[in-house]
Amino acid sequence: MTAPPVGPGTSLIPRPERTPAALRAALARVAPHRLGEMERQQDEAMALAALTDSLGPITRFLENWTVVVEIARTPATAARLRAAEHTARSLEPADPAWRAAMDDIHALHTTARESLSHG
């Protein structure tokens, strides 16, 4: 079986529900290399929620990983983020290209959050 063609703006998977299980399943399809990171952050969020008697850490965890999946499910957007992150890691903050990369990272995250609030 061959995968369907994926062009710019095409999503690899449908947008998942905002639950740990749905986000984990989606991440396994679009960015499996990040599953360990997600599991660690989920454990940290649960521990902090119990410690503070607040659901805030769990809500933030879900919001963060919903944005990660939203970006990763569109190959062109994911590639743009990877390129910007690479540039940001490779250059000094005094370099104008570093600032441009950081601005792009911020814009990608903002756009993903906005699309989630409208979708």
Side-chain angles (χ1 to χ4, degrees):
M1 178 185 337
T2 60
V6 177
T10 303
S11 296
L12 295 173
I13 60 169
R15 184 177 286 154
E17 293 182 24
R18 293 180 193 196
T19 66
L23 292 171
R24 186 178 308 104
L27 193 65
R29 301 248 339 257
V30 297
H33 62 282
R34 298 203 59 192
L35 283 169
E37 178 186 359
M38 181 189 188
E39 293 294 329
R40 282 188 302 280
Q41 287 185 11
Q42 183 176 356
D43 290 346
E44 292 168 5
M46 296 291 284
L48 187 56
L51 183 66
T52 62
D53 199 24
S54 168
L55 292 178
I58 296 169
T59 300
R60 285 187 296 280
F61 163 80
L62 290 171
E63 289 170 355
N64 177 60
W65 284 96
T66 300
V67 169
V68 168
V69 169
E70 183 67 13
I71 291 169
R73 69 190 195 95
T74 307
T77 304
R80 185 173 150 201
L81 179 62
R82 281 191 306 275
E85 289 174 336
H86 175 74
T87 298
R89 281 191 306 272
S90 301
L91 300 175
E92 295 295 322
D95 189 319
W98 181 88
R99 173 55 22 209
M102 294 302 291
D103 289 345
D104 201 27
I105 292 167
H106 178 73
L108 288 165
H109 282 261
T110 298
T111 299
R113 277 190 194 86
E114 288 172 354
S115 72
L116 289 163
S117 68
H118 295 93

